[in-house]
Amino acid sequence: MGYWGWRPLVFGIFISTWVVGCNIVTDHTSPSAAPSNYPDVTLTVGRLPTARVSRAPTRATSVRATVITPAPSTTYSSANPFLTYIVRADDTLAQIAAWFDVSVDAIRAANDPLITITPGQTLLIPVPLAVYPPTCYETRPDSLICLGRVENALAFPLESVVVDVHLLQADGTVSLEERSIIEQTSIPSGGSATYQALFTADWGDFTYADATVIGAVRGAEDRFVALQIEDTGVEPLDSRMVISATVINPGDQPTELLRAFVTLLDPFGSVIGYRVVSFESSVVLAADERFPLRVEFAPQTDEDNPELLLTVEARLIES
């Protein structure tokens, strides 16, 4: 569940729509499971370089993972999580290795001892992922929220991504650890998703934070279709950000909007704001139909020119 501490984050999240009677809820609960014949569809929108936030008083104390030695925005760790793969009839180890672009030896090492494979067997497949270290914010005394990103440089989408977040001492000793399951259903190839972790701790009790991806599942590439997004805009409103966009269904089948993910980044690539919006009522877009999206929320800290990552999840309704 998402958490924003004492902040008056419920400054308002508004969705304006041409569909009468559409509402949203602002908690981070996942929507009900979709019927098996309704594949998920994900729309990912790139960064908006014109995004701005007003110079409101900072509402949180930021503790960067790079507090000792500042690092460039491209600094990340290359984690080696394990994807799970169920062996199919006629699979060979060489074919599986080629499919995931890893060596046969790497698969054998991850599943030691591994001599032969059989249909139905579950294999662990080690794959590298780019994990940006989290930025941690004091939301109230003895309470922290840590926000970071995972980037998928693989040639296929990932689902069920799990991240371990650590608070460390100067000597590298892990003082606290929390597990985070990324809320975004799928991270498409070349895309990213935000993770978050909550700690009961004082930010002065540790020196820095890091994160490791410990697991993921390869997503089905044919489950996703591309929607269009236009008329994107970001406007400051007191200490809030107002994000607007128009979501368009270019296909010939209706789609139902489920959730929107909003991430704000500072110039160093650190996450300064993250919000998940769930649609309470059914919002179905017919072919070529447009949906005006408007989201208001307050970031963890103020920034003149944050970058915006916006992802909208929807479900394809098959006829």
Side-chain angles (χ1 to χ4, degrees):
M1 297 287 290
Y3 176 74
W4 291 74
W6 52 265
R7 297 189 56 107
L9 68 91
V10 197
F11 282 119
I13 293 185
F14 306 101
I15 301 289
S16 59
T17 175
W18 298 339
V19 180
V20 178
C22 171
N23 298 310
I24 63 168
V25 293
T26 57
D27 62 20
H28 288 197
T29 55
S30 301
S32 301
S36 59
N37 62 334
Y38 283 3
D40 288 339
V41 15
T42 299
L43 161 71
T44 300
V45 182
R47 300 173 182 175
L48 305 181
T50 59
R52 295 191 303 111
V53 64
S54 62
R55 295 296 301 177
T58 300
R59 300 293 187 92
T61 301
S62 172
V63 182
R64 295 189 185 280
T66 53
V67 66
I68 298 177
T69 305
S73 60
T74 54
T75 296
Y76 60 84
S77 63
S78 181
N80 289 291
F82 294 106
L83 303 184
T84 57
Y85 176 72
I86 298 177
V87 178
R88 302 170 301 185
D90 301 324
D91 275 349
T92 68
L93 201 52
Q95 290 172 334
I96 296 172
W99 195 36
F100 287 99
D101 196 24
V102 299
S103 68
V104 170
D105 288 342
I107 296 178
R108 289 190 181 279
N111 296 272
D112 186 42
L114 178 63
I115 300 174
T116 60
I117 58 174
T118 57
Q121 179 182 1
T122 299
L123 294 180
L124 297 178
I125 313 294
V127 296
L129 289 177
V131 186
Y132 285 81
T135 304
C136 299
Y137 303 90
E138 184 181 35
T139 56
R140 63 176 182 236
D142 298 326
S143 182
L144 299 174
I145 183 170
C146 297
L147 302 169
R149 291 185 298 130
V150 174
E151 289 191 347
N152 178 15
L154 302 172
F156 48 81
L158 293 175
E159 300 177 10
S160 303
V161 180
V162 181
V163 178
D164 274 353
V165 181
H166 314 97
L167 305 184
L168 301 96
Q169 303 297 327
D171 62 359
T173 302
V174 176
S175 57
L176 288 175
E177 177 182 284
E178 288 291 339
R179 181 154 295 179
S180 172
I181 300 176
I182 289 182
E183 295 169 287
Q184 192 169 311
T185 302
S186 174
I187 309 179
S189 175
S192 69
T194 299
Y195 64 85
Q196 60 181 331
L198 305 177
F199 292 92
T200 301
D202 189 321
W203 66 266
D205 292 341
F206 66 95
T207 305
Y208 63 102
D210 70 6
T212 304
V213 176
I214 62 169
V217 175
R218 176 168 181 162
E221 297 183 40
D222 58 358
R223 292 180 59 197
F224 303 98
V225 298
L227 302 180
Q228 293 179 0
I229 189 161
E230 296 179 355
D231 305 324
T232 53
V234 180
E235 296 292 338
L237 180 64
D238 298 325
S239 60
R240 289 167 286 170
M241 294 287 291
V242 180
I243 293 94
S244 59
T246 301
V247 180
I248 305 170
N249 175 20
D252 56 4
Q253 292 180 300
T255 59
E256 179 183 3
L257 302 185
L258 298 176
R259 294 186 296 175
F261 300 85
V262 181
T263 299
L264 296 177
L265 307 176
D266 70 8
F268 299 97
S270 298
V271 178
I272 63 171
Y274 173 58
R275 189 63 176 160
V276 182
V277 178
S278 297
F279 294 85
E280 185 177 65
S281 301
S282 177
V283 180
V284 177
L285 300 185
D288 297 323
E289 189 172 3
R290 295 167 175 258
F291 178 82
L293 176 69
R294 177 183 172 91
V295 178
E296 290 188 22
F297 81 105
Q300 292 293 333
T301 185
D302 61 322
E303 175 61 48
D304 280 336
N305 295 290
E307 294 178 302
L308 172 66
L309 300 177
L310 175 61
T311 298
V312 177
E313 284 187 345
R315 184 167 58 216
L316 180 64
I317 301 178
E318 296 180 339
S319 57

